[in-house]
Structure formats: C-alpha cells, structure tokens
Amino acid sequence: MKQSVKLIAGNWKMNGLGRDLAEAEALKLALEADPAACRVVLCPPATLIERMARLLGGGAVELGGQDCHASTAGAFTGSVSAGMLTDAGARLVILGHSERRAGFGESDADVAAKTEAALAAGLEPIICVGETLEQREAGEAIAVVSRQVAGSVPMSVAGRPFALAYEPVWAIGTGLTPTLEEIEAVHRAVRLALQGRLGAAGDVAPILYGGSVKPANAADILAVPEVGGALVGGASLKANDFLDIIRAV
Ligand code: PGA
C-alpha cells in the first residue's frame, strides 16, 4: 500500500482566545527551527483563523476550520461557509466530527454535502467517522464506520486531496483508547470501505486516528499500519504537548 505523508491535525474545538495565538506562534517557531517529518495543521475556532493565518504566514503550520455549511451563502444565522474559511486563510476543514453528528444532528448525507461544499471552495476535507461505546460493545464498530464512509464520502473527492479520521466516540476526551490491534482493524476496514466507494482513488488518502492521542501514546499509535496521522483535541492546545506528538512521527 502506498503511504502518503502523515498528517497531524490539532482540533481546538471551542477553545482559544487571542492570547492563545502565542501557542500557535511557539509551534511555528519550533517547527521552523526543526522541521516536522509530517504535515502539521491547526484547526482553531473560526474567530481565530484569520489572525492565526497572518501570524503563521503560510509556513510550517497549515490552517483548517472545524466545520462548514453546505451552502455557499445565505440566511443561515451563525454558520460559516467553506468559502469564508478559505477567505480567512484556512486550507483544510474537519467535517462530520462526532460532536457535530451527535450535538447538531448531522447525518452522513449532511457530511457528504458539506464535503462537496468544501471541495468547491478549494478546501481539503478531513472527514470523521467513529462508533459509540454502545456500538462497539455490540460488535458493530466496523459495520458502523464502513457505513459512515460509504455515506459521508462523496465521489467528487476522487483525485482531490482529502483525509479521513477514525475517532471512536468513546475515546474522545476520555483518556481511553482502543488497543493497537483494534485501531488497525478499523483502519483496514475504513481503507476497504474507501476503496469500495472510490476504487483506486481510495488507495492513498491518509486515515488519521483521533481520540485521546497524547505524547505518551502517539508513537505507538502512529506506527500502526494504515494510521496516516492523528487528529488531536485536548493535547493540541499547548504547543509543547502538540510538538511531542508531531515529533513522534
Ligand atoms: P481528544 O479529541 O484528543 O481531546 O480526545 C479528539 C477529537 O475530538 O478530535
């Protein structure tokens, strides 16, 4: 299997004020002094993207949004379009995070529509899938993520840069992680589902692992076959922790 360059993305979620730009700056300086062996992406709240873009200046750290609307513009109070993210300086966008699926009722079809919008705006989507604890305990993890891949990944990603992220819902923010064997099994299933959907165009997109990735477990997780990077929540908020994860590639 061809491996694309690993991608380590930090998802700040609804955290971050102007003063926290200092963390992004520390990350940039550290990576300029000693470049990463992977792509590094920060996904701050939308309010910080433009300021962070100015600060980072298109260097060692790329920028992403955390969600976008499926429409290009219109009467959608509170929402942000893919074109607005691009305009602010983002080059990627996380879509279908489980906090969006569970908290905002996003279906696979919604995620696919958002992905189309992101592609049309020139963004690289990071499409998230993952099972709940109940689904894992019922032995349904692989069926659930395979179904999510089939429903959330539009055919139009073929030939475009994109990534998937496997994030077991029960591992997010809990300190719990699946075993390395469990991670490998699901990542292989995600790859198969992607190839089933896209054919050879599903061969190389990185499949990130997300859910309680931290400096202490990053090297082991990143060495698992088919793990093409990590989507990091809590541990991406502090430059030093995030750097330790980046250095584990
Ligand atoms: P966590 O979050 O690293 O804090 O578990 C991961 C995510 O939700 O992307």
Side-chain angles (χ1 to χ4, degrees):
M1 182 72 57
K2 269 196 291 172
Q3 284 286 329
S4 50
V5 57
K6 284 194 166 49
L7 195 165
I8 306 288
N11 173 10
W12 279 17
K13 307 190 180 183
M14 199 173 73
N15 299 290
L17 299 173
R19 60 176 180 245
D20 300 302
L21 292 168
E23 296 297 329
E25 188 165 28
L27 186 66
K28 165 192 154 89
L29 292 174
L31 294 177
E32 279 172 0
D34 184 7
C38 58
R39 289 176 69 193
V40 176
V41 180
L42 274 182
C43 303
T47 48
L48 285 183
I49 292 174
E50 186 156 3
R51 273 182 283 173
M52 217 181 256
R54 277 189 229 278
L55 181 77
L56 297 174
V61 183
E62 299 174 77
L63 278 174
Q66 300 174 9
D67 176 46
C68 71
H69 198 278
S71 297
T72 52
F76 302 106
T77 303
S79 294
V80 172
S81 73
M84 290 169 184
L85 293 177
T86 309
D87 187 50
R91 294 294 168 261
L92 301 93
V93 62
I94 299 167
L95 294 170
H97 190 282
S98 62
E99 287 153 16
R100 301 288 319 174
R101 290 177 184 264
F104 298 84
E106 288 185 13
S107 65
D108 288 340
D110 293 329
V111 178
K114 288 177 175 214
T115 303
E116 303 265 19
L119 292 168
L123 293 170
E124 178 175 341
I126 302 173
I127 304 166
C128 303
V129 298
E131 83 285 359
T132 63
L133 185 59
E134 201 179 21
Q135 289 165 332
R136 172 155 290 268
E137 286 175 343
E140 293 167 357
I142 283 178
V144 167
V145 300
S146 301
R147 198 167 61 230
Q148 287 174 331
V149 171
S152 307
V153 177
M155 298 300 291
S156 51
V157 296
R160 304 285 301 271
F162 74 100
L164 288 185
Y166 166 55
E167 299 204 303
V169 177
W170 51 274
I172 294 175
T174 59
L176 303 172
T177 52
T179 66
L180 300 178
E181 291 72 25
E182 286 168 338
I183 292 174
E184 182 175 351
V186 178
H187 278 243
R188 286 195 190 284
V190 170
R191 176 67 67 203
L192 279 177
L194 202 54
Q195 290 167 329
R197 176 112 181 98
L198 303 174
D203 283 353
V204 288
I207 303 168
L208 317 185
Y209 169 79
S212 297
V213 176
K214 42 192 180 249
N217 62 18
D220 286 344
I221 291 173
L222 289 164
V224 171
E226 284 292 9
V227 171
L231 183 52
V232 185
S236 71
L237 293 169
K238 292 285 168 230
N240 283 342
D241 289 343
F242 197 41
L243 268 170
D244 283 345
I245 293 170
I246 291 162
R247 301 297 184 209
V249 171

